[in-house]
């Protein structure tokens, strides 16, 4: 990412801190420009005048020796002639001599001697000497460090129009060193120096406009001053002007111009410019895209210790761009940047440790680096750290801690963190369970276009959790996620079409969505698709073989519904040759997962000796498992096992209890058996009226035996008022279903009525 010009807490403070550090090291004191001290003359002519005690000629002659012009270069000779002029009280000579002592040229280096000679010239009003003396006081070289003295000498020179002094005086106001801090006063002095063409002042004035310090923020004005300094070769200004063009701040956005200025600064060794130039090459902005060029510039900056370049170079190795992909190299550069505190690099180094890429896998080390980045507010690291706490990898599992870090990232708009925070609220992990809060976080992530939270939000609408139930809204969000190829969403959207919920019912649409999810390996969709083929819904023609194919794919992934269905297909020989052993195998897999229907079917296989040795005890065991899950048919069969003492100790009370559970769910056979228990007083207190009630419920569902018994109750007047017409009606229903006893009794009753 390109570095913005704006952004700077402390941009100027950093600028001046660096400037003053350089000043403290002696690198920025005014060096006399020997070429322009005086009009250059013929060496011999100058020498004759100098020997006649002409101070100006003595200075010119010293300059000629210092620069080796017309004579062999000799600092010692230069010092001799500067000293002669200085002895006459010439301020230029004193200043020159001060600089020679400061630089250690022709004399033994001595800050104290330098300061002494600068002072002599400064006290005579020589502006350059006043500036340099101010610098000596600011840095404490040759004199005791004293900002008050520094400001005093800077001001004297600045008021004479000396540009460098104006620049440094502005810096003292900006930093509040021995004067009251004042951005406005700083700007005033920067401007004076800038208007004289002082490049550092022009650059700094540009920063003041870019950041709105001491002046109203004005990108166009900032760009103007950056340009003035940049055109003088000031590298930082070139870098910032490049940034203005790259971002379109204060100038029309122009990547080619950005590259031009970045390159100028980069070629001077400016690391930030080298970094950004690398990024321009990597992204193909303003230049032909070239990963190799990007790597070259990143490396130059990285080798200077630029953290962002080190991170970017690590990224290039991580992704094999412009270099041969190398995890060890990537980790090495990430580490260099991470150790400088760059949060992105710390996070990536954490990832390397988490995955064992380029370093030995180490979850604890991963967590340490995530922590460092997370504490700087880096959202991706906060998410990674939160996830680690949620699963207990590299740290002790701690849902509350997980929620804390996920929330920090989520509040910065990190979609994965928002999704996971929603999950924590939905499941009451680390926070009180709160579906409405879960929905809020899912929605934030979903609105950013992420498929997982879109699915989650659809599910919440589907089930009416945290929101009013809405099939239409569920479909909307399922569709968004499905269109991003999220298989679970494609499956659920298929279900909505199949069931006509929130959309017009369409088996064809359902099959299309099931197919998309099934082909991605989604087991539930594979099962659903198998069911559609088995039933001939939404497909051209019913196809058992195709059903078996999809059931098998799901079953092999452990989907219990599909295992149960596949077992049934083997048992019936649908879509394949009948195979009881395979039927048992797949039915058992589903049953062992707690699939109630499969448990019921497996019970039936043991009861009938189908594919297994007949075993009533095993049958009863599997019926019980299904019955305890509320499977009505299993409850009925378990009741029958107790009634007959098959596989269990005979127990009419237990039988009646299981018949009642199934009967209350509307299971007709159980209703008949429960009615029979009441009629005979088996396991319950005998009660004809209760017997009639349960016979009637079963009879109305078409159970022939219940219809016969209900007719018998009416014929005998047991539990109801005797009513032959009603009795005949129920006998007729049973007879029409082929019940022989009903047919016989009905014929006798009809014959009696005809006599």
């Amino acid at each position: 990412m390109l570095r913005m010009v704006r952004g700077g807490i402390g941009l100027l403070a950093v600028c001046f801190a660096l400037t003053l550090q350089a000043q403290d090291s002696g690198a920025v004191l005014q060096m006399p420009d020997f070429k322009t001290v005086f009009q250059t003359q013929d060496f011999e002519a100058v020498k004759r005048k100098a020997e006649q005690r002409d101070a100006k000629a003595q200075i010119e002659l010293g300059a000629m020796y210092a620069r080796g012009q017309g004579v062999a270069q000799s600092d010692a000779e230069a010092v001799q002639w500067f000293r002669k002029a200085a002895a006459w009280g010439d301020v230029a000579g004193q200043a020159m001599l001060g600089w020679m002592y400061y630089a250690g040229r022709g004399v033994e280096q001595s800050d104290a001697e330098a300061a002494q000679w600068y002072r002599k010239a400064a006290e005579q009003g020589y502006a350059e000497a006043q500036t340099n003396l101010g610098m000596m006081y600011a840095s404490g070289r040759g004199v005791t460090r004293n900002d008050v003295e520094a400001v005093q000498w800077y001001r004297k020179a600045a008021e004479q129009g000396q540009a460098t002094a104006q620049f440094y005086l502005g810096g003292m106001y900006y930093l509040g060193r021995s004067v009251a801090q004042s951005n406005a006063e700083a700007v005033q002095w920067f401007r004076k120096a800038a208007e004289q063409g002082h490049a550092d002042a022009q650059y700094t004035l540009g920063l003041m406009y870019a950041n709105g310090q001491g002046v109203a923020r004005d990108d166009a004005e900032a760009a103007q001053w950056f340009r003035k300094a940049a055109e003088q070769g000031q590298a930082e200004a070139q870098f910032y002007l490049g940034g203005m063009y790259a971002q379109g701040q204060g100038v029309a956005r122009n990547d080619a111009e950005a590259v031009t200025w970045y390159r100028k600064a980069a070629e001077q060794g400016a690391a930030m410019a080298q970094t950004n130039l690398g990024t321009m090459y990597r992204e193909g902005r303003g230049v032909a895209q070239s990963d190799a060029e990007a790597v070259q510039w990143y490396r130059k900056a990285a080798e200077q210790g630029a953290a962002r370049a080190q991170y970017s170079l690590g990224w290039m190795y991580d992704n094999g761009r412009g270099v041969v992909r190398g995890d060890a190299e990537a980790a090495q550069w990430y580490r260099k940047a991470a150790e400088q505190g760059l949060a992105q690099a710390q996070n990536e180094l954490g990832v390397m440790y988490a995955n064992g890429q380029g370093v030995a896998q180490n979850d604890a080390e991963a967590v340490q680096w995530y922590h460092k980045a997370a504490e700087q507010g880096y959202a991706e690291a906060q998410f990674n750290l939160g996830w680690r706490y949620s699963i207990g990898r590299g740290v002790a599992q701690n849902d509350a801690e997980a929620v804390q870090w996920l929330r920090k990232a989520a509040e910065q708009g990190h979609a994965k963190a928002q999704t996971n925070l929603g999950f924590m609220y939905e499941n009451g992990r680390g926070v009180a369970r709160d579906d409405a809060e879960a929905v809020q976080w899912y929605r934030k992530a979903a609105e950013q276009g992420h498929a997982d939270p879109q699915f989650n939000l659809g599910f919440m609408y589907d089930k009416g959790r945290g929101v009013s139930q809405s099939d239409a809204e569920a479909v909307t969000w399922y569709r968004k996620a499905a269109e991003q190829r999220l298989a679970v969403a494609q499956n659920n959207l298929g279900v909505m079409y199949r069931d006509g919920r929130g959309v017009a019912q369409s088996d064809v649409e359902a099959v299309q969505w099931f197919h998309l999810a099934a082909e991605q390996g989604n087991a539930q969709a594979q099962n659903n698709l198998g069911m559609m083929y088995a039933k001939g819904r939404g497909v051209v023609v019913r196809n058992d073989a195709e059903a078996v194919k999809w059931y098998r794919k799901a079953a092999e992934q452990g989907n219990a519904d599909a295992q149960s269905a596949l077992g049934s297909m083997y048992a019936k020989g649908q879509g394949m040759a009948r195979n009881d052993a395979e039927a048992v195998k797949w039915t058992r897999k589903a049953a062992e997962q707690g699939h109630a229907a499969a448990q019921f079917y497996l019970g039936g296989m043991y009861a009938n000796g189908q594919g297994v040795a007949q075993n009533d005890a095993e049958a009863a065991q599997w019926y019980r498992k299904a019955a305890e899950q509320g499977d009505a048919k299993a409850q009925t069969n378990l009741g029958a096992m107790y009634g007959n003492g098959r596989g269990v100790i005979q127990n009419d009370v237990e039988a009646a209890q299981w018949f009642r559970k199934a009967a209350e769910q509307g299971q007709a056979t159980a209703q008949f058996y429960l009615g029979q228990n009441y009629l005979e007083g088996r396991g319950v207190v005998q009660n004809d009226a209760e017997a009639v009630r349960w016979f009637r419920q079963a009879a109305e569902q078409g159970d022939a035996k219940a219809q016969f018994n209900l007719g018998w109750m009416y014929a005998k007047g047991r539990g109801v008022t005797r009513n032959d017409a009603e009795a005949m009606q129920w006998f007729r229903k049973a007879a029409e279903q082929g019940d022989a006893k009903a047919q016989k009794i009905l014929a006798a009753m009809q014959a009696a009525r005809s006599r």
Side-chain angles (χ1 to χ4, degrees), residues 596-597 600 623 626-640 657-671 673:
F600 167 71
Y623 283 148
E628 288 172 348
Q629 291 191 69
D631 186 283
K633 288 191 283 188
Q635 292 168 339
T636 302
N637 284 16
L638 185 58
Q657 286 179 357
W658 287 110
F659 288 148
R660 187 181 306 280
K661 289 180 186 290
E664 288 173 347
Q665 291 190 69
Q667 217 285 330
T669 303
Q671 292 168 340
Y673 282 132

Side-chain angles (χ1 to χ4, degrees), residues 58 91 222 363 523 641 670:
Q58 291 170 336
V91 292
D363 286 330
M641 300 292 275

Side-chain angles (χ1 to χ4, degrees), residues 469-654:
Q469 198 283 334
S470 170
D471 288 340
E473 278 290 312
V475 165
T476 295
W477 291 106
Y478 283 154
R479 189 182 306 280
K480 288 180 186 291
E483 288 172 349
Q484 294 192 65
R485 301 190 71 250
L486 185 67
V488 67
Q490 292 170 334
N491 175 68
N492 281 24
L493 185 56
V495 170
M496 300 303 273
Y497 272 107
R498 184 193 68 194
D499 299 341
R501 291 180 51 203
V503 286
Q505 197 283 333
S506 172
D507 285 341
V508 172
E509 277 287 318
V511 165
Q512 286 179 359
W513 288 108
F514 289 150
H515 251 297
L516 290 171
E519 285 165 358
Q520 290 192 68
N522 182 274
Q524 192 59 50
Q526 291 168 340
N527 174 70
N528 287 344
L529 189 55
M531 183 190 69
M532 298 301 273
Y533 275 108
K535 295 184 176 181
R537 290 181 58 180
V539 292
V540 175
V541 62
R542 184 178 177 279
N543 189 326
D544 286 339
E546 195 70 12
V548 165
K549 167 185 147 183
W550 290 108
Y551 281 148
R552 189 181 305 280
K553 287 181 184 291
E556 287 171 350
Q557 291 191 68
N559 182 277
D561 288 332
Q563 290 169 338
S564 180
L566 187 58
S568 177
M569 299 294 273
Y570 270 112
K572 298 172 184 176
Q574 290 179 278
M576 69 192 82
R578 185 171 182 269
N579 187 324
D580 287 340
E582 280 292 306
V584 169
K585 168 186 147 183
W586 288 108
T587 303
R588 188 184 304 279
K589 286 181 183 290
E592 288 173 347
Q593 289 193 69
H595 191 282
Q599 292 168 337
F600 167 71
Y601 287 126
L602 188 57
M605 289 170 153
Y606 275 106
N608 298 309
Q610 182 183 349
V612 288
Q614 198 280 335
N615 188 321
D616 285 338
E618 277 290 313
Q621 175 188 329
W622 287 108
Y623 283 148
R624 186 183 306 279
K625 290 180 184 292
E628 288 172 348
Q629 291 191 69
D631 186 283
K633 288 191 283 188
Q635 292 168 339
T636 302
N637 284 16
L638 185 58
M641 300 292 275
Y642 272 107
N644 296 316
R646 284 184 58 187
V648 290
I649 297 171
Q650 199 280 334
N651 188 322
D652 287 335
V653 172
E654 193 76 14

Side-chain angles (χ1 to χ4, degrees), residues 666-696:
Q667 217 285 330
T669 303
Q671 292 168 340
F672 164 72
Y673 282 132
L674 186 57
Q676 195 71 27
N677 279 27
Y678 272 108
L679 179 64
E680 298 172 4
R682 290 180 57 187
V684 291
V685 176
Q686 199 282 333
N687 188 321
D688 287 344
E690 275 295 299
V692 166
R693 178 165 81 92
W694 290 110
F695 287 150
R696 187 183 306 280

